[in-house]
């Protein structure tokens, strides 16, 4: 398998994991009637990015989160809307000190006012604020999944260090590895040197079935985490210590909420945002294991965002006549593809206006 095909396979597998998780999470037991699930892909922090993020949410609180719109709230906006008072007050009197200049808080207040999620008024030279809604505690658990369809020894070595970072940091409640199911009596992934705290999920390549080969341990997200900064690189005989720093529970809680907000905005169907669905060769095709996935008729397979761009030698814009045929592809097939994916993404976020 060449590098391009391998990348395509991993991308298609990643979409399959997202589609399966959206319908079947949690894997070990049925979800509570009060629990809603949101799935996103390619999210994380500055030093760590996960293939798949699964949010287990309080259903009622998730619906109330929709009051703040489909766009994410960044750290500055969260600081404002989470601490805004019920009655009018000068913003410096009611908001805790942000730890950075107040001018950035004023910018966030004006942005929140423009988005209609905060009320503001002038009282002389002072800006007073009042909340429109209480920001809900909508995220119950965060689950991170690393996808490696072909988990050989070399891939396991690289993945092992990443999972060790996740376990030490404990930013997610659980970490998993998703891989292809081989059908062997003992799955090869169980024999690799992965942290025992990480769960292993095996998926059928040609169907939507998945099994838990190893259950994960719940990580201590409410306790200080350890951020690994540097590891010994002298091989097995290198006994030097790693460099690390501690991360407070408060910093972890803030980062978890920022990740959840980004997942709320993006979802996992946002792959078309970085592709060219306006190309005449771009299609969305139904596949049993992953639902709709992108397909390039010029290359004859599922393409990645790297391949599907304006720099692709096969790129060719849609003919203008395709965009004037009216319903069901009013605006052209590319526009319709985006609308289909956005409609499905919106349905996973109850309470948003259609």
């Amino acid at each position: 398998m060449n590098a391009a095909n391998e990348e395509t396979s991993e991308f298609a597998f990643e979409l399959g994991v997202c589609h399966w998780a959206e319908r079947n999470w949690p894997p070990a037991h049925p979800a509570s009637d009060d629990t809603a699930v949101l799935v996103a892909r390619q999210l994380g922090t500055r030093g760590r990015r996960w293939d798949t993020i699964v949010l287990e949410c309080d259903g009622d609180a998730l619906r109330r989160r929709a009051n703040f719109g489909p766009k994410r709230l960044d750290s500055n906006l969260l600081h404002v809307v989470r601490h805004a008072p019920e009655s009018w007050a000068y913003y410096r009197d009611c908001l805790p000190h942000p730890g950075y200049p107040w001018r950035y808080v004023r910018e966030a207040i004006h942005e929140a006012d423009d988005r209609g999620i905060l009320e503001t008024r002038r009282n002389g030279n002072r800006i007073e604020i009042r909340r429109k809604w209480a920001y809900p505690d909508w995220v119950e658990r965060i689950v991170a999944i690393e996808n490696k369809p072909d988990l050989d020894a070399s891939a396991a070595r690289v993945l092992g260090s990443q999972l060790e970072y996740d376990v030490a940091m404990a930013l997610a409640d659980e970490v998993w590895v998703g891989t292809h199911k081989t059908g062997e009596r003992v799955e090869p992934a169980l024999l690799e040197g992965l942290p025992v705290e990480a769960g292993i999920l095996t998926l059928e390549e040609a169907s939507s079935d998945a099994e838990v080969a190893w259950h994960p341990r719940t990580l201590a997200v409410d306790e200080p985490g350890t951020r690994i900064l540097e590891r010994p690189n002298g091989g097995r005989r290198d006994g030097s210590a790693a460099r690390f720093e501690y991360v407070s529970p408060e910093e972890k809680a803030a980062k978890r909420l920022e990740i959840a907000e980004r997942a709320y905005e993006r979802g996992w169907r946002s792959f078309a945002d970085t592709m060219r669905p306006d190309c005449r060769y771009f299609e969305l095709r139904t596949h049993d294991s992953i639902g709709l996935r992108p397909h390039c008729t010029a290359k004859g397979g599922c393409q990645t965002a790297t391949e599907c761009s304006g720099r692709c030698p096969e790129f060719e814009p849609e003919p203008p006549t395709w965009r004037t045929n009216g319903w069901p592809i009013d605006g052209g097939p590319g526009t319709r593809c985006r609308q289909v994916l956005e409609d499905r993404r919106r349905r996973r976020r109850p309470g948003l206006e259609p």
Side-chain angles (χ1 to χ4, degrees), residues 131-312:
R131 76 185 187 196
K132 298 185 70 172
W133 310 279
Y135 184 85
D137 186 14
W138 59 281
V139 183
E140 294 181 339
R141 300 175 78 245
I142 298 178
V143 178
I145 305 176
E146 282 295 319
N147 300 312
K148 285 293 180 183
D150 301 312
L151 188 61
D152 56 18
S154 61
R157 284 194 295 271
V158 175
L159 188 59
S161 62
Q162 295 174 343
L163 295 175
E164 288 174 359
Y165 178 96
D166 297 338
V167 171
M169 185 69 172
L171 196 60
D173 294 83
E174 292 176 358
V175 292
W176 291 74
V177 176
T179 186
H180 274 149
K181 184 176 181 179
T182 63
E184 298 182 17
R185 187 173 63 88
V186 177
E187 287 291 336
L190 293 171
L191 304 178
E192 301 295 347
L194 302 176
V196 296
E197 294 86 352
I200 298 177
L201 191 70
T202 59
L203 284 84
E204 293 277 3
E205 185 172 6
S207 70
S208 57
D209 295 331
E211 292 183 1
V212 177
W214 185 266
H215 290 272
R217 295 181 184 176
T218 300
L219 304 179
V221 296
D222 296 327
E223 298 179 5
T226 303
R227 181 185 289 121
I228 300 174
L229 302 176
E230 184 180 356
R231 299 172 181 272
N233 57 6
R236 292 183 177 181
R237 298 183 182 275
D238 188 351
S240 57
R243 289 199 310 114
F244 64 91
E245 63 182 8
Y246 290 114
V247 182
S248 68
E250 293 76 18
E251 182 180 346
K252 286 170 55 177
K255 185 60 64 176
R256 281 164 57 88
L257 189 54
E258 292 175 32
I259 292 173
E261 280 287 335
R262 292 166 60 199
Y264 184 88
E265 176 185 51
R266 182 183 298 183
W268 66 273
R269 294 179 175 87
S270 57
F271 53 81
D273 296 343
T274 54
M275 291 185 171
R276 295 301 303 265
D278 57 334
C279 174
R280 71 180 302 154
Y281 300 116
F282 184 95
E283 293 181 352
L284 287 178
R285 290 193 176 182
T286 302
H287 192 280
D288 291 340
S289 63
I290 65 170
L292 292 175
R293 76 176 184 184
H295 182 87
C296 178
T297 57
K299 297 179 180 179
C302 177
Q303 73 276 36
T304 65
T306 303
E307 296 171 316
C308 187
S309 66
R311 296 186 300 272
C312 173

Side-chain angles (χ1 to χ4, degrees), residues 60-136:
D60 292 336
L62 179 62
R63 185 173 293 276
R64 295 197 302 274
R65 166 59 185 83
N67 291 327
F68 297 88
K71 296 178 62 178
R72 70 183 173 103
L73 304 179
D74 61 22
S75 59
N76 292 347
L77 286 173
L78 285 170
H79 178 75
V80 171
V81 300
R82 294 181 69 195
H83 298 100
E86 295 185 47
S87 55
W88 291 106
Y90 177 46
Y91 75 94
R92 287 204 186 192
D93 292 339
C94 61
L95 299 179
H97 194 284
Y100 47 82
W102 283 103
R103 66 177 182 273
Y104 298 113
V105 177
R106 291 194 298 271
E107 292 176 2
I109 288 173
H110 292 312
E111 182 180 354
D113 185 30
D114 292 340
R115 289 171 59 168
I117 58 178
L118 183 74
E119 292 183 321
T120 65
R121 72 179 185 185
R122 286 275 184 178
N123 185 2
N125 292 328
R126 293 189 166 197
I127 300 176
E128 296 183 338
I129 63 175
R130 181 175 68 180
R131 76 185 187 196
K132 298 185 70 172
W133 310 279
Y135 184 85

